[in-house]
Amino acid sequence: MRAFFNKRKKLTAALLLLITAAGIFAFNENDKYFQIAKNLDIFAAFYRELNTYYVDDLPPEKVMRKGIEAMLEETDPFTDFVSEENLDDLKFMATGKYGGVGASINTNGEWTSITDVYEGSPMDKAGVKPGDIIVSMDGKSTKNVAQEDVSRQLKGAAGTPLDMVFRNPVTGAETSKKIIRDEINVKAVSYAGILKNDIGYIKMTQFTENSGVMVRRAVEQLKQSNPALKGMILDLRGNPGGLLDEAVVVSNIFVDKNKLIVSTRGKVKNWDRNYETSDQPVDVHLPLAVLTNHSSASASEIVAGSIQDLDRGLVIGQRSYGKGLVQTTRQLPYNTKLKVTTAKYYTPSGRCIQAIDYSHRNDDGSVDYVPDSLRKSFTTTGGRAVKDGGGIEPDAKVEPTYISQVAITLLRKQFIFDYATSYYYSHPRIAAAATFALTDSEFSDFERYLDNKDYSYKTRSEEALDSFKSTAKKEKYYDAVAKELETLEAKMKHDKKQDLLKNKEEIKRLLEEEIVNRYYLQKGRIIKSLEWDNEVNTAADILHSQAKYKQLLAAAK
């Protein structure tokens, strides 16, 4: 998305609209609306005088945008001004659709490469592969062109052509291709399959139009093809949310008809609403686990919160993001929109899980998380204790998996990506995604590939020691402990080769995922990653144990 959309903005025309309307009302000095009209008059007069007499020309749009941004500093980060050029971004958030070529890119140095190709997309149909380097588009070189600019040119109306030249990353051969842009529909369900022969698994990435129908269809197909299912995992990790209505539809798949899922309450009381399930569910008895992490937000939290409050299943993983606010879009002049927070939402138990209180600001303008001491307790249908504020707490907490510093460096510098590309062109085919594995000799080949490549880095311990040394120098303690620090630094100094071997299994897994992605695209990557996914394996183990599942559902009564 563009920088304007990422920053906070609001609309000038709305101000002018209010100014013209202000004169038809009668206010008294203590009336809030009089204060609004009064200050809008002052604002208009101020801008008129500034624009007339300031020594240099002031660009009207730029000045007004800054005024809008300043006003938005008093709101939450979800309230925003959407300019005409960013309407497509807003549409994509609601529909999951955009006009383009169906690929992800990354700029590293002078050139931009393809990192992922969406199955069935124009790029996929044209035979473009991850690792291919974009040399030119419509006759213009992409050398040293910013990634954002390359991305913008790849997008466009469905049916429009784009002449591209690609360079093979291994042979250097260049190939011209005519790509016909199409409507790209980013699937809300990126994968659905069976784990350990009897546990259904569905990965949901967003709540866009008809995403609930896609999840329902996936659940029905998994049940039909596997009548002996012992449980279902709905993976909402990293899902930022989306449409509230779709969250209700998804919950309805597992919750009986006419059950309250979420309610909204805001300043405009006529807009307050209770959202209940309206259809027959697919299954209300199959053991259910909903996976969350700190990036699960909004609609994801509505689903997780309703499943938890109604004791329909377990939430497993980490505490969710804590976004209990609802946004509505309002039409503004000149084909622009205001996306504004209009309400808070409440789960069936009556709790709002909003983690940050934007209505109360510190003297410096900052905002704070709701402290644990102010979080109120509520009860689920079965009598379990749950709390508001701070997101959805999991019923079974699983610590997140962190990758090593050496692995982070290899990913950041694209050595894993580049090796996978080289591997693809020297291996015409590999085993199925679930069974593919690198041999020890192939990992040794990767080690040789890294010879003479710079993947230097500092461990977290070294960074902490550097910070301590800096503080000690400022506080004038350094000279007294200098020798001890030097000894400690020498002991901590890491060996890159040893770090590589120490984290061999982790790095092998990352290599296997990237290699599988070359042959089986995103679906293959997900299948391979599930093999060592700690949260998924924990959820599957709980669903396999009826006693453990029931014990967690009955906890904290």
Side-chain angles (χ1 to χ4, degrees):
M1 295 185 183
R2 298 189 180 180
F4 253 141
F5 190 74
N6 287 335
K7 293 178 181 176
R8 308 160 37 105
K9 320 175 166 71
K10 297 296 151 100
L11 192 79
T12 310
L15 297 177
L16 300 177
L17 188 64
L18 285 171
I19 291 169
T20 56
I24 67 172
F25 295 100
F27 303 96
N28 67 56
E29 285 289 333
N30 296 321
D31 194 320
K32 175 183 177 181
Y33 293 100
F34 171 76
Q35 293 299 325
I36 293 174
K38 171 184 171 182
N39 284 284
L40 284 172
D41 282 342
I42 293 172
F43 178 87
F46 175 84
Y47 177 72
R48 182 176 61 248
E49 296 299 308
L50 181 68
N51 183 65
T52 301
Y53 296 110
Y54 185 69
V55 63
D56 295 320
D57 285 339
L58 295 172
E61 184 177 13
K62 184 177 180 180
V63 172
M64 286 296 185
R65 289 283 175 91
K66 284 189 174 293
I68 290 170
E69 290 171 13
M71 278 189 284
L72 286 176
E73 291 299 324
E74 297 301 314
T75 70
D76 60 61
F78 313 110
T79 296
D80 210 349
F81 164 65
V82 185
S83 60
E84 184 175 13
E85 59 266 29
N86 286 321
L87 286 178
D88 284 344
D89 294 323
L90 186 64
K91 177 184 176 183
F92 173 71
M93 292 171 64
T95 66
K97 299 176 182 178
Y98 70 95
V101 297
S104 298
I105 60 173
N106 180 63
T107 299
N108 185 30
E110 296 179 330
W111 297 101
T112 297
S113 299
I114 303 296
T115 56
D116 282 285
V117 175
Y118 304 156
E119 186 176 357
S121 69
M123 284 288 206
D124 187 24
K125 292 174 182 176
V128 177
K129 302 296 181 184
D132 285 355
I133 299 165
I134 303 174
V135 177
S136 67
M137 294 188 290
D138 284 339
K140 296 180 181 178
S141 173
T142 58
K143 186 177 181 179
N144 293 320
V145 176
Q147 181 173 320
E148 182 180 342
D149 294 330
V150 175
S151 177
R152 187 181 301 115
Q153 192 168 348
L154 289 173
K155 294 177 181 177
T160 57
L162 181 62
D163 292 317
M164 303 184 69
V165 176
F166 296 93
R167 181 184 301 134
N168 185 292
V170 175
T171 66
E174 295 187 358
T175 306
S176 298
K177 295 179 183 291
K178 182 182 287 291
I179 310 294
I180 306 299
R181 297 183 182 92
D182 200 354
E183 182 179 75
I184 307 301
N185 188 358
V186 179
K187 296 178 181 178
V189 175
S190 57
Y191 176 73
I194 299 295
L195 309 176
K196 300 182 178 180
N197 299 321
D198 55 10
I199 300 294
Y201 173 85
I202 296 173
K203 174 67 175 175
M204 188 181 183
T205 58
Q206 56 191 347
F207 286 80
T208 49
E209 288 179 359
N210 298 315
S211 56
V213 173
M214 297 176 196
V215 177
R216 175 178 282 266
R217 188 178 301 131
V219 172
E220 290 173 339
Q221 289 173 349
L222 289 175
K223 281 176 59 65
Q224 184 177 358
S225 59
N226 300 270
L229 275 185
K230 289 186 177 179
M232 184 71 66
I233 297 173
L234 178 61
D235 191 349
L236 299 180
R237 292 174 299 173
N239 188 322
L243 302 179
L244 183 149
D245 287 336
E246 294 299 326
V248 178
V249 174
V250 171
S251 300
N252 195 176
I253 296 168
F254 308 102
V255 174
D256 218 340
K257 190 175 180 180
N258 300 324
K259 294 288 186 180
L260 176 66
I261 298 299
V262 64
S263 58
T264 59
R265 299 174 221 157
K267 183 188 294 184
V268 182
K269 298 305 176 185
N270 289 340
W271 290 0
D272 290 355
R273 183 178 168 188
N274 292 333
Y275 293 81
E276 297 182 350
T277 52
S278 58
D279 297 321
Q280 291 298 327
V282 176
D283 196 313
V284 296
H285 300 295
L286 187 69
L288 173 65
V290 179
L291 302 187
T292 63
N293 61 12
H294 190 61
S295 298
S296 305
S298 187
S300 293
E301 295 175 293
I302 292 175
V303 172
S306 65
I307 295 299
Q308 187 177 63
D309 283 5
L310 297 172
D311 290 303
R312 173 58 189 89
L314 296 172
V315 177
I316 297 175
Q318 298 96 47
R319 182 192 291 192
S320 64
Y321 181 83
K323 180 178 179 288
L325 306 175
V326 180
Q327 286 72 49
T328 304
T329 56
R330 305 290 295 170
Q331 186 65 48
L332 298 171
Y334 298 101
N335 203 25
T336 59
K337 290 181 182 289
L338 170 66
K339 181 165 71 75
V340 57
T341 298
T342 54
K344 293 180 179 180
Y345 71 77
Y346 298 82
T347 64
S349 67
R351 57 181 170 145
C352 177
I353 52 86
Q354 175 63 26
I356 300 177
D357 184 2
Y358 293 104
S359 63
H360 296 91
R361 294 181 177 271
N362 301 318
D363 293 339
D364 62 357
S366 62
V367 292
D368 295 320
Y369 283 89
V370 177
D372 286 342
S373 60
L374 295 181
R375 296 177 66 193
K376 298 176 182 177
S377 290
F378 296 77
T379 55
T380 68
T381 301
R384 291 188 298 152
V386 290
K387 288 188 174 182
D388 67 357
I392 303 294
E393 292 273 9
D395 302 303
K397 186 175 182 180
V398 182
E399 291 298 326
T401 301
Y402 298 104
I403 64 174
S404 63
Q405 199 66 31
V406 62
I408 291 172
T409 303
L410 293 173
L411 288 169
R412 190 181 69 246
K413 295 197 172 185
Q414 289 206 163
F415 293 140
I416 286 177
F417 179 86
D418 290 342
Y419 180 81
T421 301
S422 175
Y423 187 97
Y424 172 77
Y425 283 102
S426 60
H427 296 76
R429 59 183 60 85
I430 62 171
T435 58
F436 170 75
L438 279 177
T439 64
D440 286 340
S441 63
E442 287 173 328
F443 187 81
S444 296
D445 182 60
F446 176 66
E447 291 181 77
R448 288 189 293 273
Y449 166 80
L450 292 177
D451 286 343
N452 303 319
K453 287 185 170 59
D454 178 21
Y455 57 100
S456 58
Y457 58 92
K458 285 188 176 182
T459 64
R460 294 183 179 92
S461 298
E462 288 173 318
E463 290 173 350
L465 183 59
D466 285 346
S467 177
F468 177 79
K469 287 166 63 176
S470 177
T471 302
K473 288 177 181 178
K474 289 178 183 177
E475 297 180 347
K476 304 191 185 310
Y477 291 120
Y478 181 75
D479 292 340
V481 296
K483 289 185 178 179
E484 289 85 350
L485 288 176
E486 288 174 6
T487 301
L488 181 60
E489 190 172 27
K491 288 182 178 180
M492 288 172 53
K493 202 166 189 65
H494 68 282
D495 184 315
K496 291 190 301 180
K497 196 76 171 177
Q498 287 303 313
D499 281 359
L500 200 66
L501 295 175
K502 184 171 65 175
N503 296 284
K504 176 180 177 180
E505 290 307 310
E506 173 189 73
I507 295 169
K508 270 185 68 176
R509 291 170 180 174
L510 294 172
L511 281 166
E512 287 166 0
E513 285 182 34
E514 193 60 55
I515 290 170
V516 163
N517 182 54
R518 294 295 190 277
Y519 298 85
Y520 304 109
L521 303 181
Q522 185 186 37
K523 185 180 293 185
R525 186 197 292 273
I526 294 172
I527 292 172
K528 192 63 193 172
S529 70
L530 291 174
E531 186 179 324
W532 46 75
D533 192 313
N534 194 27
E535 286 102 322
V536 170
N537 287 325
T538 298
D541 290 342
I542 291 173
L543 292 174
H544 272 129
S545 171
Q546 192 175 36
K548 180 67 173 176
Y549 181 77
K550 289 182 177 179
Q551 178 188 358
L552 287 169
L553 273 179
K557 283 189 179 181

